[in-house]
Amino acid sequence: MAPSEFFVVLRQITGITGGFAPPTPSAVYTLTASSDNPSIVLIQSQTREDGTPSLSEPLAPKEVQKSSAQSKIDELEAILKQLPVEQPTGSQDIYGLDTSIFFGSNDLQWRNGGPQGCGGGYSEVQATDEQKELFKKAIGIVETLVA
């Protein structure tokens, strides 16, 4: 079972792999559960419409009963425990999806992609096709929780 406190940040970033222009987030989803309010998961989202320069203002956090989200959080954590991250950190988008997930709990600290995207280098670790599919599933779990 996942710990009572956790956070998840999913960033969909156009240009995560680097280049001349800096990476541009198209969506940022943040999910948080804390001991301050153990029965609630706070979900905040920001998106950027195509052609606009920045993310929308964050909407007021949505509250979801933790009991209804727990199985998805447990599944997300179990998937991430199986997946590699690039080495060195931020060197390459090894999943090829322009998406970064940052998950933190007492049991797991997991993050792919650097905070400013990937530097366009080469990672010593590469994801297999099976791992890429699991990463897509992890993204889907977060998107389901946000929806």
Side-chain angles (χ1 to χ4, degrees), residues 18-126:
F20 295 111
T24 306
S26 56
V28 176
Y29 306 127
T30 305
L31 295 77
T32 310
S34 73
S35 58
D36 294 340
N37 197 348
S39 64
I40 299 293
V41 176
L42 292 177
I43 300 173
Q44 192 163 27
S45 63
Q46 291 179 274
T47 57
R48 181 182 58 82
E49 295 294 324
D50 286 339
T52 59
S54 58
L55 292 168
S56 63
E57 289 296 318
L59 301 175
K62 177 172 78 169
E63 293 185 359
V64 174
Q65 289 298 313
K66 190 170 180 197
S67 58
S68 68
Q70 190 65 57
S71 67
K72 292 289 185 190
I73 296 299
D74 291 344
E75 183 180 11
L76 175 62
E77 184 174 17
I79 288 170
L80 294 177
K81 283 181 177 180
Q82 300 175 56
L83 296 179
V85 295
E86 70 281 355
Q87 295 295 328
T89 301
S91 59
Q92 182 183 11
D93 179 13
I94 64 173
Y95 295 102
L97 296 173
D98 286 343
T99 301
S100 169
I101 296 177
F102 186 12
F103 183 96
S105 71
N106 291 335
D107 295 331
L108 178 66
Q109 295 290 316
W110 192 95
R111 180 182 208 149
N112 71 305
Q116 300 302 318
C118 294
Y122 184 77
S123 172
E124 297 171 13
V125 175
Q126 296 295 312

